[in-house]
């Protein structure tokens, strides 16, 4: 009997994050070019970078999918044929699309490319998935508003691959189809430019008292009435893998490199755990608490399993603020495995600091910095952000290029 195997699909907001995600075990990555994707504020990729990304990924047996999922107007389409041809020539493994017009153009211009239907297309039932199957799509990403039972119904009805978001930010709007940002800030979420006004702090103003604001909540920080918690389905992976879900997708192209590597590392370890348990014939697979403990070390708005069990309510919202605090911050990235190791600093590092190297699996290696040196060999009393330096420690660590080093949060530290 062939056991189901599930792909781990990770966000890549930049070339650096792509390399980090691959280092920590992504099977596939998705990224956006400078146009036509839904994350205009992410660094995104020039065509030359997409070519480099594909070469880097394919050399490591990792697939690269490119988002072309804006809600396109006619004026958006003129530049599309050249772009599609360039993506095809770059060797990307598939395109992520929501607009039927773009779907049609892709089939005409680059018919050999795989087409994945984006969550923005709101696939909420089997007939919708079958529609896209009949049209020639090779994969559907289901709407985030589906319960697990509904996901299974769709999976059982179709032959194409089924992908599900399992972790990351949620929109209070239906599958991200939202005009709030456009109306309040002029930035269109459906063109990838969302200003996230659902996370803003709102207050009440009486019309005859301009400038006098009334807090809606007693804590005087205003009210975060639209601020949904983040999605986290790590504990539901056994059910999803057993049901044959083909790909689990992580959100977060706009997030920092610490998140990009950290979240991939956890889901890689979780998927490996589930696959191994299934291969061993374990009937009831339960993830040990270490997985959730690690997730809590990454910043979040609190976690929700969203519609997985059927419905959502006020417990799935975070009304008290835009974000919960983050216990850990990134300290550095390993740039060159040498003796001593070369790191690129993200937050200030000084001799005597206690840091943690995020190794493979869920291995965390705590170590003390004995010394930092400039690349010219000068001993430094501190290494500042963006500097590349030699790091000396007496700890026995097997470093890996693109590995991350973090520290317990200190006041004033910045998440990059
Ligand atoms: S404003 Fe909020 S709900 Fe609307 S698209 Fe942006 S993130 Fe989603």
């Amino acid at each position: 009997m062939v056991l189901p195997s599930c792909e781990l699909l990770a966000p890549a907001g930049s070339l650096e994050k792509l390399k980090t995600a691959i280092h920590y075990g992504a099977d596939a990555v998705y990224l956006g070019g400078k146009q036509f994707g839904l994350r205009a504020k992410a660094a995104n990729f020039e065509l030359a970078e997409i070519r480099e990304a594909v070469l880097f990924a394919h050399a490591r047996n990792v697939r690269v999918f490119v988002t072309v999922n804006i809600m396109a107007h006619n004026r958006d389409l003129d530049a599309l044929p050249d772009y599609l041809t360039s993506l095809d020539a770059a060797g990307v493994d598939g395109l992520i699309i929501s607009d039927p017009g773009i779907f049609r153009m892709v089939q005409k211009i680059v018919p050999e490319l795989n087409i994945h239907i984006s969550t923005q297309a709101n696939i909420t039932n089997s007939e919708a998935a079958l529609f896209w199957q009949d049209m020639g799509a090779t994969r559907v990403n289901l709407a985030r508003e589906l319960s697990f039972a509904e996901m299974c119904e769709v999976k059982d009805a179709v032959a194409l691959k089924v992908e599900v978001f399992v972790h990351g930010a949620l929109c209070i709007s239906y599958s991200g189809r939202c005009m709030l940002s456009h109306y309040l800030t002029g930035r269109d979420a459906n063109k990838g430019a969302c200003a996230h006004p659902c996370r803003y702090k709102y207050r009440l103003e009486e019309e005859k008292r301009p400038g006098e604001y009334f807090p809606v909540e007693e804590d005087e920080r205003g009210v975060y009435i639209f601020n949904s918690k983040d999605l986290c389905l790590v504990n539901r992976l056994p059910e999803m893998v057993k049901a044959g879900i083909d790909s689990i997708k992580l959100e977060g192209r706009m997030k920092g490199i610490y998140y990009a590597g950290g979240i991939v590392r956890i889901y890689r370890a979780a998927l490996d755990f589930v696959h191994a348990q299934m291969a061993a014939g374990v009937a009831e697979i339960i993830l040990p608490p270490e997985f959730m403990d690690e997730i809590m070390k990454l910043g979040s708005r609190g976690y929700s399993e969203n519609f997985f069990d059927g419905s959502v309510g006020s417990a799935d919202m975070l009304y008290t603020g835009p974000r919960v605090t983050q216990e850990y911050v990134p300290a550095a990235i390993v740039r060159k495995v040498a003796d001593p190791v070369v790191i690129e600093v993200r937050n200030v590092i000084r001799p005597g600091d206690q840091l943690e190297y995020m190794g493979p699996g869920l291995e965390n290696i705590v170590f003390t910095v004995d010394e930092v040196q400039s690349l010219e060999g000068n001993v430094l009393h501190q290494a500042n952000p963006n500097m590349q330096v030699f790091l000396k420690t007496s700890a026995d660590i097997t470093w890996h290029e693109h590995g991350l080093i973090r520290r317990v949060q200190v006041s004033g530290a910045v998440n990059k």
Side-chain angles (χ1 to χ4, degrees):
M1 187 179 85
V2 180
L3 293 169
S5 171
C6 185
E7 172 193 85
L8 176 56
L9 174 54
S14 68
L15 198 51
E16 183 183 55
K17 290 179 209 169
L18 175 141
K19 291 177 179 177
T20 305
I22 291 174
H23 164 66
Y24 279 111
D27 297 311
V29 292
Y30 65 100
L31 56 89
K34 295 285 181 189
Q35 300 164 287
F36 304 110
L38 272 183
R39 282 291 176 265
K41 290 285 167 188
N44 290 327
F45 290 68
E46 301 284 359
L47 264 173
E49 289 177 310
I50 293 178
R51 285 186 211 108
E52 186 180 341
V54 170
L55 286 174
F56 183 91
H58 285 181
R60 291 154 182 83
N61 292 320
V62 173
R63 297 171 284 283
V64 177
F65 308 131
V66 177
T67 58
V68 192
N69 57 347
I70 59 166
M71 306 289 158
H73 290 237
N74 279 344
R75 62 180 175 274
D76 299 315
L77 299 179
D78 293 345
L80 191 60
D82 283 351
Y83 183 60
L84 294 176
T85 309
S86 303
L87 291 179
D88 190 26
V92 305
D93 298 278
L95 303 179
I96 301 170
I97 284 166
S98 59
D99 184 283
I102 292 182
F103 184 94
R104 190 166 177 268
M105 289 179 74
V106 169
Q107 287 198 315
K108 274 198 289 187
I109 296 163
V110 283
E112 64 285 357
L113 266 181
N114 288 314
I115 303 180
H116 301 181
I117 305 303
S118 164
T119 197
Q120 295 279 325
N122 306 147
I123 295 171
T124 53
N125 60 69
S126 306
E127 287 297 321
L130 287 167
F131 167 81
W132 286 113
Q133 179 177 303
D134 291 347
M135 295 299 290
T138 52
R139 180 188 294 209
V140 287
N141 183 299
L142 301 182
R144 287 180 232 208
E145 290 77 14
L146 292 198
S147 67
F148 177 59
E150 290 171 313
M151 292 176 202
C152 293
E153 284 170 16
V154 175
K155 173 64 193 166
D156 290 345
V158 300
L160 45 57
K161 288 192 187 305
V162 171
E163 178 186 288
V164 174
F165 267 110
V166 294
H167 197 97
L170 288 167
C171 276
I172 188 76
S173 63
Y174 208 96
S175 283
R177 290 193 169 213
C178 174
M179 293 296 283
L180 194 60
S181 177
H182 203 154
Y183 279 115
L184 289 182
T185 71
R187 285 171 44 182
D188 187 353
N190 300 303
K191 291 280 167 59
C194 181
H196 306 287
C198 59
R199 319 287 184 199
Y200 290 1
K201 180 167 72 173
Y202 291 95
R203 289 167 188 261
L204 189 65
E205 185 187 31
E206 197 277 321
E207 70 176 336
K208 298 212 172 60
R209 294 176 176 81
E212 279 187 43
Y213 301 112
F214 299 94
V216 181
E217 294 250 333
E218 287 184 6
D219 67 4
E220 298 184 354
R221 285 179 293 180
V223 57
Y224 302 85
I225 45 179
F226 303 124
N227 192 26
S228 44
K229 288 182 180 173
D230 290 341
L231 175 69
C232 176
L233 294 178
V234 73
N235 288 324
R236 314 307 290 266
L237 290 188
E239 293 153 84
M240 297 174 79
V241 176
K242 277 187 190 168
I245 298 299
D246 299 284
S247 177
I248 56 164
K249 189 170 189 176
L250 310 175
E251 183 273 348
R253 278 187 290 146
M254 306 267 286
K255 298 208 167 88
I257 195 163
Y258 170 56
Y259 177 88
I263 199 65
V264 170
R265 185 176 82 128
I266 297 163
Y267 275 85
R268 172 78 277 149
L271 265 187
D272 289 349
F273 176 85
V274 173
H275 286 147
Q277 294 270 300
M278 285 173 68
V282 176
E284 193 184 349
I285 303 171
I286 297 173
L287 277 121
E290 291 89 283
F291 292 95
M292 203 62 214
D293 292 347
E294 271 301 312
I295 283 179
M296 296 311 288
K297 294 177 183 173
L298 306 173
S300 83
R301 304 180 181 96
Y303 288 113
S304 158
E305 291 186 344
N306 203 28
F307 288 86
F308 199 87
D309 287 322
S311 190
V312 293
S314 59
D316 300 289
M317 303 294 289
L318 180 63
Y319 293 124
T320 52
R323 240 183 136 65
V324 296
T325 49
Q326 183 173 320
E327 193 188 348
Y328 284 73
V329 291
I333 305 163
V334 174
R335 284 294 178 224
K336 190 170 174 200
V337 178
D339 189 17
V341 65
V342 177
I343 60 166
E344 187 173 300
V345 179
R346 281 295 185 264
N347 281 295
V348 169
I349 294 176
R350 298 186 183 89
D353 283 354
Q354 195 169 76
L355 304 178
E356 194 170 282
Y357 178 59
M358 296 161 64
L362 293 186
E363 187 184 19
N364 297 317
I365 305 153
V366 177
F367 67 95
T368 302
V369 177
D370 294 336
E371 190 174 286
V372 279
Q373 284 182 5
S374 70
L375 296 187
E376 293 74 37
N378 300 317
V379 175
L380 303 172
H381 69 277
Q382 79 172 38
N384 294 320
N386 300 319
M387 287 175 73
Q388 288 204 6
V389 295
F390 289 119
L391 170 78
K392 289 191 172 178
T393 175
S394 55
D396 184 16
I397 299 176
T398 305
W399 303 103
H400 294 94
E401 197 180 341
H402 311 298
L404 296 171
I405 300 168
R406 67 184 172 191
R407 77 160 83 232
V408 174
Q409 173 89 279
V410 289
S411 120
V414 181
N415 183 11
K416 285 191 178 175

